[in-house]
Amino acid sequence: MGQSHFHKPTTQMLDAASIGLSGLCLAHCLVLPLLTAGLPVFGQFSESELIHQILVLIAAPLSVWAFWRSGGWRDYRISGFGGLGIFLLGIAAFYPPLLPYEAPLSIVGALLLAAAHLFNATRKKALL
């Protein structure tokens, strides 16, 4: 019988997953506060720094891996937007003095990171 081969995810799947994580971050910052107004139980999740930290710890390495595998890191738009997005998400999640600015920093960071993955996905199609 043949050897089993490790299935390598395509960079398009990695970009899509990273965009999805950015969307989760945006939902966490924008939707959960609205739910908090009506449902006090969700307030625990809305204000939880741990949730934001976990999302960043998943999104950052996944994004770097996607950019590295695709070679997109060589494009200044991808590395610039992606790097700045990861940086903003990281300082919003892990630097307590910026806690009052956590939501705006996270929103901008998530949008920049999603834009980098969008550039990466469309760049690859343009090269085909």
Side-chain angles (χ1 to χ4, degrees):
M1 309 300 154
Q3 287 182 314
S4 65
H5 294 285
F6 177 73
H7 180 266
K8 294 182 182 178
T10 66
T11 54
Q12 289 150 340
M13 286 175 29
L14 292 171
D15 285 328
S18 296
I19 290 170
L21 283 170
S22 293
L24 280 176
C25 184
L26 285 172
H28 174 259
C29 293
L30 297 174
V31 175
L32 283 178
L34 294 174
L35 292 175
T36 302
L39 303 169
V41 173
F42 286 108
Q44 298 172 26
F45 298 111
S46 174
E47 300 301 321
S48 175
E49 295 165 17
L50 182 60
I51 290 174
H52 189 194
Q53 291 170 345
I54 290 170
L55 285 172
V56 171
L57 290 173
I58 293 169
L62 182 66
S63 294
V64 170
W65 187 33
F67 298 146
W68 184 264
R69 276 190 52 131
S70 68
W73 61 272
R74 293 181 183 104
D75 185 326
Y76 73 92
R77 295 172 302 178
I78 295 169
S79 57
F81 283 124
L84 183 57
I86 290 170
F87 174 75
L88 290 175
L89 288 169
I91 63 168
F94 293 102
Y95 190 60
L98 293 177
L99 189 58
Y101 308 104
E102 180 183 10
L105 288 171
S106 297
I107 291 167
V108 172
L111 289 172
L112 286 170
L113 190 55
H117 283 289
L118 187 60
F119 286 145
N120 196 38
T122 57
R123 178 191 69 83
K124 289 181 288 198
K125 287 184 180 180
L127 294 176
L128 296 178

